[in-house]
Amino acid sequence: MHPMLNTAVKAARRAGTVIVRALPDVDRLRIETKSRHDFVTEVDRRAEERIIETLKGAYPDHAILAEESGTAAGNEWQWVIDPLDGTTNFLHGFPQFAVSIALRHRGRLEQAVVFDPLRDELFTATRGEGAQLNDRRIRVSRAVDLDAALLGTGFPFRESDSVAQWVRLFERVACQTSGVRRAGSAALDLAYVACGRLDGFWETGLKPWDMAAGALLIREAGGLASDLFTEGDPLDSGNILAGNPRIYGHMRTAFADVAPHGTD
Ligand code: IPD
Ligand code: CA
Ligand code: CA
């Protein structure tokens, strides 16, 4: 395993331990509201501290972009961190959340880890070297038609989100696919596309730390991940379309006439 990936795995496992240990006492946690429907707990913060101290211990000069503590300057290497993706699920004891850590070099994704601490599932990728789940090589699914596809998405829940736009996107695929799931952790949803559990995924309004690791996992597993509307970098816009190449293509065609929120 690449040494930088190895460090990221160590960091993700430490964060996972913090999260799992806190789960039985979740009812007693102090919950802060960052904005309406957007929560943070001391567990998110503690998990993030463990990650940053692990990464900084090995790579003190690297820059950091982390959900709870923001940006720390450094050199051209940057760690993109979501210490607990799926906080709302975690707060409800709904067992679908993950730690997400990616490394970018001059903006290009190099390493990725998504760790589900409840199932002990570790998704990893290094650019150019493929993607793994618990050290076994993974590939995106072989589904060729939307009919047989299971898609993932994220529902709008922030006041700034456009419900109307989500409905328009949903309408284009709803009755053409086997099903659409909203599991509540974008990082894990993307990891599921990478290992073929989902055939495609879309969501708008995400942050770089929700998607960075998942996007590299998908590309290294033979899939595509890009901006939902422009085919640019989804980390720039927050709007992502991902899938195996066939399903990605069908979804892109199905969504072609839906304009980005704010431009229609
Ligand atoms: C959230 C999850 C969720 C997505 C939200 C994200 P958080 O991350 O990824 O699936 O729909 O947009 O904010 O806040 O739990 O880290
Ligand atoms: Ca997140
Ligand atoms: Ca988070």
Side-chain angles (χ1 to χ4, degrees):
M1 186 182 284
H2 190 286
M4 289 178 174
L5 183 62
N6 200 28
T7 303
V9 167
K10 216 182 280 172
R13 287 197 181 279
R14 285 183 179 157
T17 303
V18 170
I19 294 164
V20 170
R21 282 200 186 136
L23 199 52
D25 297 319
V26 81
D27 292 344
R28 269 173 275 158
L29 282 178
R30 202 163 44 82
I31 303 165
E32 287 166 45
T33 306
K34 290 200 273 190
S35 58
R36 197 169 170 213
H37 307 149
D38 190 4
F39 307 107
V40 60
T41 70
E42 61 209 72
V43 177
D44 300 64
R45 294 219 173 86
R46 248 185 291 137
E48 186 165 297
E49 277 163 25
R50 295 312 307 272
I51 294 168
I52 293 175
E53 97 201 356
T54 307
L55 300 176
K56 280 278 178 194
Y59 303 104
D61 300 332
H62 286 189
I64 302 276
L65 172 62
E67 179 173 14
E68 310 306 345
S69 53
T71 321
N75 62 19
E76 59 208 11
W77 294 89
Q78 183 192 50
W79 295 96
V80 185
I81 303 162
D82 191 334
L84 174 50
D85 185 59
T87 296
T88 299
N89 282 349
F90 171 76
L91 289 173
H92 289 262
F94 188 98
Q96 187 75 1
F97 41 81
V99 181
S100 177
I101 303 175
L103 177 64
R104 293 198 281 198
H105 183 241
R106 296 184 176 165
R108 184 160 73 173
L109 290 164
E110 296 288 336
Q111 310 289 345
V113 179
V114 172
F115 179 51
D116 173 346
L118 288 180
R119 297 180 183 85
D120 195 24
E121 288 194 326
L122 181 74
F123 298 86
T124 52
T126 295
R127 188 176 60 81
E129 292 180 20
Q132 299 81 30
L133 165 53
N134 291 345
D135 294 328
R136 295 184 66 156
R137 186 73 190 257
I138 50 173
R139 304 274 315 160
V140 290
S141 78
R142 293 167 195 260
V144 293
D145 297 319
L146 274 181
D147 273 339
L150 183 63
L151 306 182
T153 187
F155 297 151
F157 62 94
R158 303 172 202 88
E159 281 171 324
S160 58
D161 291 338
S162 167
V163 176
Q165 183 197 56
W166 186 85
V167 170
R168 277 201 293 279
L169 293 164
F170 179 64
E171 273 173 345
R172 303 297 190 275
V173 290
C175 296
Q176 294 189 55
T177 65
S178 297
V180 179
R181 301 286 180 265
R182 196 301 189 238
S185 163
L188 215 44
D189 291 332
L190 294 170
Y192 281 15
V193 173
C195 71
R197 292 176 187 165
L198 290 172
D199 304 293
F201 177 79
W202 85 94
E203 187 164 353
T204 60
L206 290 172
K207 300 289 188 197
W209 45 78
D210 300 316
M211 294 177 284
L216 184 62
L217 284 168
I218 290 173
R219 291 172 189 148
E220 288 300 321
L224 299 170
S226 70
D227 181 279
L228 178 57
F229 302 105
T230 68
E231 298 188 54
D233 185 349
L235 272 64
D236 292 339
S237 64
N239 307 320
I240 190 166
L241 175 65
N244 84 30
R246 299 292 291 267
I247 299 300
Y248 170 98
H250 294 313
M251 291 172 78
R252 190 158 281 299
T253 305
F255 293 157
D257 65 334
V258 182
H261 178 37
T263 63
D264 53 344

